[in-house]
Amino acid sequence: MKRKTLTVGSLISKNRQMIPSEEIPKEIDVQPASIRLRQNQSYFEVVPRPHQTLLDAALEQKQFIDFKCRKGTCGRCKVRVTEGASLLHPPHEKERIKLQHSLAQEYRLACQAMIR
Ligand code: FES
């Protein structure tokens, strides 16, 4: 998806007239540039790499999230996504079942969470 950055200058046409309000997009898709997460007392920042798991992207970027099985069964890779959750696909059924006891929705299994 191509993002459009709006500035005050971009809302003014070349002949210095304001663009009519009906031509201004109502919703602007602002995606965070990175995924921030927390595991235990550690904080991590991962640059999203499409079609990778959050764990694989993190490890590739030397963000050493704790993990064990990589299958979605042990739960050791559980992280709390504090920013950029929209950059991840929604959890699949196996991940949802494993996380059902987590109180907050922002918890994910890094080995199962796929980046969009
Ligand atoms: S490493 Fe075991 S659930 Fe992710």
Side-chain angles (χ1 to χ4, degrees), residues 67-77 109 111:
F67 69 98
K68 187 177 178 186
C69 71
R70 286 181 176 248
K71 296 177 187 167
T73 55
C74 73
R76 189 180 289 184
C77 67
L109 293 178
C111 73

Side-chain angles (χ1 to χ4, degrees), residues 50-65:
H51 314 299
Q52 277 192 323
T53 65
L54 184 55
L55 179 63
D56 287 341
L59 295 176
E60 210 173 86
Q61 296 169 40
K62 304 198 182 326
Q63 302 290 303
F64 298 111
I65 296 172

Side-chain angles (χ1 to χ4, degrees), residues 32-94:
S34 61
I35 302 167
R36 292 175 193 253
L37 41 107
R38 181 177 170 193
Q39 186 184 51
N40 303 320
Q41 302 305 313
S42 300
Y43 294 85
F44 302 94
E45 184 168 352
V46 178
V47 175
R49 301 279 187 246
H51 314 299
Q52 277 192 323
T53 65
L54 184 55
L55 179 63
D56 287 341
L59 295 176
E60 210 173 86
Q61 296 169 40
K62 304 198 182 326
Q63 302 290 303
F64 298 111
I65 296 172
D66 192 19
F67 69 98
K68 187 177 178 186
C69 71
R70 286 181 176 248
K71 296 177 187 167
T73 55
C74 73
R76 189 180 289 184
C77 67
K78 187 168 89 173
V79 295
R80 187 173 197 160
V81 178
T82 58
E83 194 176 311
S86 63
L87 298 169
L88 299 171
H89 284 286
H92 54 68
E93 187 176 348
K94 184 179 179 182

Side-chain angles (χ1 to χ4, degrees), residues 19-35:
I19 294 175
S21 62
E22 61 270 10
E23 291 181 23
I24 299 172
K26 299 288 183 247
E27 292 181 23
I28 300 170
D29 181 30
V30 179
Q31 294 270 349
S34 61
I35 302 167

